[in-house]
C-alpha cells in the first residue's frame, strides 16, 4: 500500500490544492511537484498512523517525525529539504484557512555541513571530452553533448530536453528553459558550436531514422535521451578517460564550468545569469572553490606556503 492510500481525505484534498496553487503561481517543474507531493504524502501517512494528520499536526509530532527520520540515518540535507516543503505547505494552508496556526514556525532546521560542489580539473575535462569515438554517430553525439555541457553549464534536464529550435548556430547562443519554466540565453563557445554542427550534419540524421523529432540530442531509437542515459554516457567516457567514476556525473560538468569561469576571472553576477540561479547566494558557493584552489596553489608553489 502506498503512502497516498494511507492518508486522510482532508490531507489529500489539502495536498492537491497546495500542488495546484504552487504550480499556477510558480510554474514549478513536474519533477519538483512530484517530489513535493511525495514528501507531503509520506508525512501525512506517518502522522495519521500516530493519531494525527497533516492538517492537524502540531509542533511536537512534526519534531518526532523529523527525529525518527534522523534515527533512520536519513541525511540532514534530506530532512532540511523536507522541512522546506512542510514550511511552504503550512504557510500556504495558513493563508487559505483563517485562524490556522503554522506548526513549523518554531521548528529548527537541521544543521548542514558546508559542502563544496565537485569540479574536475581542466586536464580531466579535456580527457573526458576527447574520450568518445567520433567516427560513430553515437560517439559524435556524445562529443557534442559533452562539449555543450562544459561550454554552457547546462543542467542535465535542460540538455536532454533541448529542442533543435533553441539553438542559433549563427549567433552562437541557446535559449534554455530552466527551473520554473524560466528562459535564459546562454552563449556557446566556438568549439562546442563546431561539434554540434558536425553532429547535426553527420550523426543526427542517422539517429533520427527518417523521423523529425524536435529534441536536439537523440538516442539510437530516434527519440530524446533520458537523464539516466546522459548519466550513463558521462560515466562511460569518464571510465575510458581514466577518471574515477565516483567523481563524475553530468552535474559535475556544470560545476566545472562554473568553477573554471571563476578561476579565469568571470564576474559572479554574470555567472548567476549563465547558470540560471534565481538568487546570487546560490552562485556564491563557487567563490569558495576558487578560494580553495588559490590556497592549494599557494601551499604547493610558494616557498613558505
Amino acid at each position: 500500500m502506498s503512502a497516498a492510500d494511507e492518508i486522510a481525505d482532508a490531507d489529500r484534498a489539502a495536498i492537491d490544492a497546495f500542488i495546484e496553487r504552487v504550480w499556477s503561481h510558480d510554474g514549478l517543474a513536474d519533477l519538483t511537484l512530484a517530489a513535493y507531493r511525495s514528501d507531503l504524502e509520506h508525512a501525512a501517512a506517518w502522522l495519521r498512523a500516530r493519531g494525527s494528520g497533516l492538517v492537524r499536526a502540531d509542533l511536537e509530532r512534526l519534531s518526532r517525525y523529523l527525529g525518527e527520520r534522523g534515527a533512520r540515518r536519513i541525511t540532514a540535507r534530506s530532512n532540511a529539504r523536507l522541512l522546506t516543503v512542510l514550511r511552504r505547505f503550512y504557510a500556504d494552508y495558513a493563508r487559505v484557512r483563517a485562524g490556522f496556526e503554522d506548526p513549523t514556525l518554531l521548528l529548527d532546521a537541521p544543521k548542514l555541513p558546508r559542502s563544496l560542489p565537485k569540479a574536475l580539473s581542466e586536464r580531466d575535462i579535456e580527457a573526458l571530452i576527447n574520450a568518445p569515438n567520433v567516427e560513430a554517430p553515437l560517439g559524435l553525439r556524445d562529443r557534442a553533448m559533452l562539449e555543450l555541457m562544459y561550454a554552457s553549464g547546462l543542467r542535465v534536464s535542460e540538455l536532454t530536453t533541448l529542442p533543435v529550435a533553441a539553438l542559433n548556430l549563427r549567433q552562437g547562443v541557446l535559449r534554455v528553459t530552466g527551473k520554473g519554466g524560466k528562459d535564459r540565453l546562454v552563449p556557446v563557445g566556438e568549439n562546442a558550436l563546431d561539434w554540434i554542427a558536425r553532429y547535426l550534419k553527420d550523426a543526427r540524421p542517422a539517429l533520427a531514422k527518417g523521423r523529425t523529432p524536435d529534441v536536439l540530442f537523440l538516442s539510437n531509437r530516434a527519440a530524446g535521451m533520458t537523464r539516466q542515459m546522459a548519466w550513463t554516457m558521462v560515466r562511460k567516457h569518464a571510465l575510458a578517460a581514466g577518471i574515477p567514476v565516483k567523481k563524475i556525473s553530468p552535474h559535475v560538468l556544470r560545476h566545472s564550468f562554473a568553477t573554471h569561469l571563476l578561476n579565469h576571472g568571470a564576474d559572479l553576477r554574470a555567472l548567476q545569469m549563465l547558470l540560471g540561479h534565481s538568487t546570487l547566494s546560490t552562485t556564491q558557493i563557487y567563490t569558495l572553490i576558487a578560494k580553495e584552489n588559490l590556497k592549494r596553489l599557494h601551499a604547493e608553489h610558494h616557498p613558505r606556503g
Side-chain angles (χ1 to χ4, degrees):
M1 184 179 292
S2 69
D5 297 323
E6 299 175 1
I7 65 177
D9 290 341
D11 286 348
R12 183 178 292 105
I15 292 170
D16 288 343
F18 167 72
I19 294 296
E20 178 66 26
R21 281 191 291 272
V22 294
W23 175 82
S24 61
H25 184 267
D26 296 338
L28 298 180
D30 289 344
L31 286 174
T32 303
L33 294 174
Y36 277 21
R37 182 181 293 279
S38 176
D39 283 344
L40 293 171
E41 286 178 349
H42 279 91
W46 188 95
L47 290 162
R48 188 185 188 193
R50 287 151 184 84
S52 178
L54 201 61
V55 298
R56 294 191 295 112
D58 55 21
L59 174 63
E60 180 186 356
R61 284 190 174 92
L62 289 175
S63 296
R64 284 175 54 201
Y65 178 52
L66 291 171
E68 188 201 70
R69 284 168 55 90
R72 287 191 282 126
R73 297 188 178 181
I74 294 174
T75 65
R77 193 169 299 280
S78 293
N79 268 343
R81 190 164 53 241
L82 168 65
L83 182 53
T84 297
V85 176
L86 289 171
R87 281 176 170 163
R88 185 162 190 181
F89 170 80
Y90 285 117
D92 176 80
Y93 197 74
R95 281 193 293 270
V96 298
R97 292 290 187 276
F100 178 79
E101 293 186 7
D102 184 345
T104 65
L105 291 177
L106 298 179
L107 269 179
D108 293 327
K111 292 183 178 180
L112 298 177
R114 195 174 206 180
S115 60
L116 299 180
K118 297 176 183 176
L120 296 177
S121 67
E122 293 182 38
R123 180 180 298 178
D124 279 346
I125 286 287
E126 285 294 322
L128 175 64
I129 287 176
N130 287 321
N133 173 18
V134 296
E135 300 304 316
L138 289 177
L140 186 51
R141 178 206 65 188
D142 293 354
R143 175 66 184 260
M145 290 180 72
L146 292 169
E147 290 276 4
L148 183 57
M149 275 193 280
Y150 179 59
S152 302
L154 300 184
R155 300 178 178 94
V156 65
S157 57
E158 295 168 346
L159 179 79
T160 54
T161 58
L162 192 68
V164 177
L167 175 66
N168 188 319
L169 285 173
R170 184 175 58 83
Q171 294 184 358
V173 294
L174 285 173
R175 181 174 294 276
V176 180
T177 301
K179 289 186 175 181
K182 296 177 182 177
D183 286 347
R184 68 185 189 277
L185 285 179
V186 180
V188 183
E190 290 185 7
N191 282 344
L193 288 173
D194 289 344
W195 282 104
I196 293 170
R198 185 172 166 183
Y199 159 74
L200 289 171
K201 178 178 179 291
D202 298 333
R204 193 175 184 278
L207 296 175
K209 299 177 181 177
R211 303 175 192 172
T212 56
D214 293 332
V215 71
L216 177 60
F217 293 111
L218 302 177
S219 70
N220 56 8
R221 296 182 179 179
M225 297 179 66
T226 65
R227 291 184 302 162
Q228 186 59 41
M229 288 178 182
W231 181 289
T232 302
M233 179 271 290
V234 171
R235 290 171 70 88
K236 167 189 168 185
H237 295 306
L239 190 62
I243 302 168
V245 291
K246 66 180 181 180
K247 293 174 54 178
I248 194 72
S249 72
H251 215 64
V252 169
L253 275 82
R254 177 172 163 87
H255 293 322
S256 302
F257 160 84
T259 304
H260 297 169
L261 277 179
L262 277 181
N263 286 344
H264 289 278
D267 177 74
L268 194 61
R269 288 201 175 273
L271 181 59
Q272 177 192 356
M273 295 175 64
L274 291 172
L275 291 172
H277 287 160
S278 57
T279 62
L280 188 62
S281 60
T282 308
T283 316
Q284 283 175 328
I285 192 170
Y286 291 104
T287 63
L288 298 175
I289 300 176
K291 289 176 183 176
E292 289 300 315
N293 287 341
L294 289 174
K295 287 165 63 178
R296 177 179 53 80
L297 288 171
H298 182 275
E300 288 178 1
H301 301 293
H302 193 276
R304 294 183 178 275

